[in-house]
Amino acid sequence: MGTKPSKIALLISGVFSLTALPTVAAESNQDVTIDETITVTGTRFDRSTEQQLTVINTIERSEIERLNPKSIVDVLENLPGVSVTRNGGAAQASSVSIRGTSSDHALIIVDGVKIGSATLGTANLSTISPENIERIEVLKGPRASVWGSDAIGGVIQIFTRQLKSDEWYVGAEYGSNDYVRGSAGIGLEHGQGSSTLAINHERSNGYDVYNGVEAENDADGYDRTSLSVKGSQSLNEQWQALWNGQYDKGNTQYDDIYGFGGDDEFDFANYLWTLGTQYSAEHFNSKLTISQSRDYNEYFRGDSVAVNVSEFETKRKQVNWSNQYLVGNGLNLSGGIDWSNEAVLGDYAQTDRDLVGVYLLAEKQWDKLLAEVAVRYDDVESVDSETTYNLGLAYQFDAQWRLAVTTGTAFKAPTFNDLYYPNLGSPDLLSETSENYDITLNYQRNDVQAYISVFKNDIENLIDWAWTGELDSNGYPIWKPANISDAEILGAEFFTKFSLFGLEHQLAYTYLDTEDKATEEKLTGRSENEVNYSLSYRWNDFDLLANYHYQGKRYAGYKQYLDAYHQLDLGVGYQVSDNWQLRLKANNVFDEDIVSVTNYNSPGRELFFSVSYSAL
């Protein structure tokens, strides 16, 4: 039958042969701990974990504080099925891959608003400070049937800080490479509503991130400031007004892979805002929002470069109307309309486009059986239209065990660079598309919970550079983007969380088998094996945390691999009083040489000390 089918059969048989695996229970008894986590990314409305058919990992504020990350990717790297590559430290360019898909196959949302560049097709997560984040939800697998374009590998939704009235905090931190941070936030009451204001500023002198060219031997520092506001106001028993805003501004120094030399750096100034209203009744909920986001970068390069200043800007306007109707007898219906306009700065043949999507989702519960059907139609101006779907079934064997089987399709529309970049764009490109299959076995009992998920993702019409068959005036081949590649991703994802001997344990393992159908080689930047293990302990006013990460060797192309590495981070916190807390964090304790992108170095061993006062 060939190599691939045998591997699929082996993985699937492994799922059904497990006898003590773990996550979600839908029934209650004395031996079961019900997971009270509420997520919204799967359906756009509040859902408990036992109502979800897709795998969703959630990182709450308390865990973010203990991790003490310097970037969002530091948080995401601890999750199963999520892989990170970086061109250096916290503020350098990075990419996030969900279950082996490309970095531009993850839809990035902040408080319900899509962010990122419409020219590159990705979002720069390094510009967002973790200090202003309340929660992160990472949905695995395709969800274009609810969210539209980009959600081939999954969806990452970031929620900003939200404090109750009269709650407030201040904090400061100092660490390696002259890292300095100050942050503060406060919750304000106004009648039947409240708002949260938060600010964070941090800077670092950095280090030399690139070891490939002598001309780039300089420290690459950064500074960034983040402001956020989030609030709501009850107008009466049914109606509520909502608003939120985020502003991120700063400067990042970097090293150019082509070795032009000089002080390479860029300024960024990104924002988003949302105004909305929500109606809530016993069986019906409706939410209407208007929003806008901006992604702006201004690059400054060395004097040896012909064009040493470049501007890139995307502005995205959005209108979203989402509805939920609880029909009864276990039937829930959700649906809505999305409209957005993407506009870019530059000498493009077309500088803006409209995207319109309509979706409908139905969920039905029959005793131990849960079913889901979702379908969506999207029209991308001047490109094409796509219809995507999700189908899912879950069966609750008993209070501890549940099996879910899902399938779905997704797409990613070509970027403005793909379509219209001056002299290099290909305006006839089609959207990249995918078809995914997933089997997930969940277990939960007392303080043990876990899951194992086996998945297969076939991606077609991938956009890559291809020779047009023509030569330029100098006799050189002309290359342009084209729909020439297909990829197959087969994988398994395991996660468990449990208590043993007074210690809290989290263990995650991800296996990936990827293939570029055009070259019959592995996809670049992916590891076959990845392991995360977290050990935490609380004793009186102390809390201890150890995080271990193993990254298997990555394929770098041209039959070359990047070395595997091990990373151990340690942290200790001390609660001085009800309000004061001290925290010490050591990253990469063994000072491993970590390279996830050729010639780009990690910062090595780092040490950070923070102090905070919270009236929460």
Side-chain angles (χ1 to χ4, degrees), residues 10-78:
L10 178 62
L11 288 171
I12 293 175
S13 65
V15 172
F16 289 102
S17 66
L18 292 169
T19 58
L21 264 183
T23 277
V24 181
E27 299 179 15
S28 173
N29 75 22
Q30 60 183 5
D31 292 326
V32 179
T33 300
I34 298 299
D35 191 339
E36 296 295 336
T37 301
I38 300 297
T39 62
V40 302
T41 305
T43 63
R44 300 199 186 189
F45 289 93
D46 289 352
R47 287 288 189 276
S48 61
T49 51
E50 65 266 20
Q51 295 172 304
Q52 302 282 1
L53 291 177
T54 54
V55 176
I56 301 178
N57 298 133
T58 302
I59 307 101
E60 301 290 349
R61 180 66 212 169
S62 58
E63 187 173 356
I64 294 174
E65 290 177 351
R66 293 172 64 204
L67 288 171
N68 193 19
K70 297 299 166 283
S71 69
I72 293 177
V73 294
D74 292 343
V75 181
L76 299 175
E77 191 172 35
N78 291 283

Side-chain angles (χ1 to χ4, degrees), residues 204-225:
S204 172
N205 288 341
Y207 67 99
D208 187 16
V209 302
Y210 190 65
N211 66 8
V213 179
E214 289 186 5
E216 298 290 339
N217 288 344
D218 58 349
D220 301 297
Y222 68 92
D223 70 80
R224 61 188 177 197
T225 300

